[in-house]
Amino acid sequence: MPVALPSTPKWILRLVVVTALVGIGSGIGGGLVYLALHSIQHLAFGYSEGTFIEGLLDAPPVSRVVALAVAGVIGGVGWWALRRWGRLRPKHAIVSVESAVNGRRMPWFVTIANAGLQVVIVGLGASIGREVAPRELGALVADWLTDRAGVNARERRILVACGAGAGLAAVYNVPFGGAVFAVEILLAEISFATVLPALASSAIATLVARVVVPANPLYPIEQFPLSPSIVVWAILAGPVIGFAAIGFVRLMQFAQRIRPKSWGILIVMPLVFTAVGVVSLWFPAILGNGRSLGQLALTASLPVLLILVLTLLKVFATAGTIGSGAAGGTLTPALAVGAGFGLTIGAAWNLVWPGAPVAVFALIGAAAFLAVSMRAPLTALLLVMEFTNQGPDMFAPVMLCVAGAVAVGYLFERGRVTGVA
């Protein structure tokens, strides 16, 4: 007699379907963020082809100041209204991805409006990362789908985190990095139950978003060869980069604490944004989410001292943007700052032990700096390698530098908790 095969439990089928839908929804959200951002950039600075920095350089310099001033007004009015509405009606307050993962429901209108404001100001040149918007949209989609599917609390938590990671994966074309972001940062749990849906949703989201998001690396750079000089530098530079990254993190935390809590944002944000626009008349690479500066550092396209100046200005521009009350991320700004810092100390190292391409130090520095600023070494490592499409030769020195930087970051955070630092 034929043996009857066991039927698949309905709850497994439900989770498979919901995971796929989370990936599709997050991919659509990431694609829309990409299209909106680039449409705003092209409209604001009047270019149709080329990169953002090329568009800035071709446009009249005064357009940078005008665009930032407009961004400050839009952002100031928009966030003042959203935050005031949230204070008056707590159920409609802005809910972060981390809070959503821990059980809070995300209101549709407020979440979409918050993400939209982030896209608008970054498109107009604000110095802040764009990655929070697609993460919020991905989490929002997962929040809605899991509510309709009737999954339990643990399954909802996992799928909301996967939605956020898939949104990140979609907008940057980094499927592995997006999945690890969900598992390492949002869930802090590596298990079959977390890894499988994270991988699946990020892969699906990336494939969906590729309809509009280019498949080429975010930072097109050369493939660097491995050498003893690079390995030794990575070991020595890790702790130094860790110290610098801790300073960056604390500055951003300070900026977050002092941001206007009420109507002050209506004044502070336009003033700060306009000031950044004025500085960009001489240093246009400080504008945007950091991709322009990152590309310049990762290719060593400008003199090292000029890259260092741009790096320092980018730090203060990003801190000012956050301190003025803007919402957004620090992923690409931190990567750019780390690349600029790595390039600078790498150029000094080349005077002692010459021979390595100076841009390789920017790559390693970017990964180490990002690992500390995100408090996520695996995510940072994979994101930078996917961003630049580097081969296996660079994994060892990057891992060594990341380990040294994160060790310093861990010691500082541990000392801070115990009152030593």
Side-chain angles (χ1 to χ4, degrees):
M1 294 180 62
V3 178
L5 295 175
S7 60
T8 304
K10 290 183 179 180
W11 67 270
I12 293 181
L13 292 175
R14 182 176 67 242
L15 287 178
V16 169
V17 172
V18 175
T19 299
L21 291 176
V22 167
I24 293 170
S26 300
I28 294 173
L32 290 175
V33 167
Y34 177 87
L35 285 177
L37 178 67
H38 286 264
S39 297
I40 294 169
Q41 289 176 339
H42 288 240
L43 179 64
F45 300 103
Y47 69 101
S48 57
E49 296 181 355
T51 63
F52 178 59
I53 189 64
E54 291 170 344
L56 288 179
L57 295 175
D58 290 339
V62 70
S63 66
R64 302 169 206 162
V65 182
V66 173
L68 264 293
V70 171
V73 172
I74 293 174
V77 173
W79 275 305
W80 172 80
L82 285 181
R83 290 164 186 168
R84 178 174 173 77
W85 178 254
R87 287 192 295 270
L88 295 175
R89 297 175 178 265
K91 289 185 178 180
H92 297 279
I94 297 171
V95 175
S96 68
V97 168
E98 291 76 11
S99 296
V101 170
N102 290 322
R104 288 192 63 185
R105 300 301 307 277
M106 302 183 80
W108 269 85
F109 173 77
V110 171
T111 302
I112 293 174
N114 186 50
L117 286 172
Q118 295 172 49
V119 173
V120 169
I121 67 165
V122 174
L124 291 173
S127 180
I128 199 167
R130 67 181 183 184
E131 74 278 359
V132 173
R135 280 162 33 191
E136 290 179 340
L137 294 179
L140 177 66
V141 169
D143 183 36
W144 183 82
L145 286 170
T146 53
D147 182 58
R148 296 299 181 275
V151 301
N152 62 40
R154 173 168 166 76
E155 292 165 348
R156 178 196 175 277
R157 179 174 182 270
I158 292 171
L159 287 169
V160 170
C162 290
L168 175 67
V171 79
Y172 286 126
N173 188 37
V174 286
F176 204 2
V180 174
F181 170 84
V183 173
E184 182 183 21
I185 296 179
L186 297 178
L187 295 171
E189 176 191 341
I190 299 178
S191 66
F192 182 83
T194 60
V195 171
L196 185 60
L199 291 174
S201 57
S202 287
I204 293 170
T206 304
L207 291 173
V208 170
R210 277 195 181 183
V211 175
V212 294
V213 177
N216 52 290
L218 187 67
Y219 299 95
I221 63 175
E222 64 176 300
Q223 295 288 313
F224 298 115
L226 185 62
S227 71
S229 171
I230 294 173
V231 173
V232 174
W233 180 87
I235 296 171
L236 297 176
V240 179
I241 295 172
F243 278 116
I246 285 294
F248 176 84
V249 169
R250 292 192 177 180
L251 179 60
M252 298 306 138
Q253 291 172 341
F254 173 76
Q256 183 75 16
R257 288 196 300 270
I258 66 170
R259 74 178 192 176
K261 305 301 181 184
S262 185
W263 59 266
I265 192 174
L266 298 170
I267 300 172
V268 175
M269 188 173 288
L271 289 177
V272 171
F273 277 39
T274 303
V276 173
V278 171
V279 175
S280 75
L281 293 174
W282 296 275
F283 304 100
I286 68 170
L287 295 187
N289 67 342
R291 182 181 178 185
S292 298
L293 175 57
Q295 183 67 38
L296 292 172
L298 288 166
T299 54
S301 301
L302 294 175
V304 173
L305 288 179
L306 180 54
I307 292 288
L308 177 59
V309 171
L310 290 170
T311 299
L312 295 175
L313 290 174
K314 185 66 179 176
V315 170
F316 290 109
T318 303
T321 301
I322 293 173
S324 71
T330 58
L331 192 159
T332 40
L335 188 150
V337 171
F341 188 61
L343 182 74
T344 302
I345 59 177
W349 174 258
N350 250 0
L351 298 176
V352 178
W353 190 341
V358 70
V360 72
F361 303 117
L363 171 75
I364 300 172
F369 197 95
L370 189 61
V372 176
S373 67
M374 294 183 74
R375 298 177 184 174
L378 292 178
T379 302
L381 169 67
L382 292 171
L383 283 176
V384 170
M385 301 307 271
E386 282 189 298
F387 281 158
T388 60
N389 197 29
Q390 284 297 301
D393 276 358
M394 282 297 103
F395 267 94
V398 169
M399 290 167 66
L400 288 169
C401 196
V402 165
V406 171
V408 167
Y410 171 77
L411 291 174
F412 261 76
E413 288 303 311
R414 183 179 180 183
R416 193 178 185 184
V417 170
T418 58
V420 176

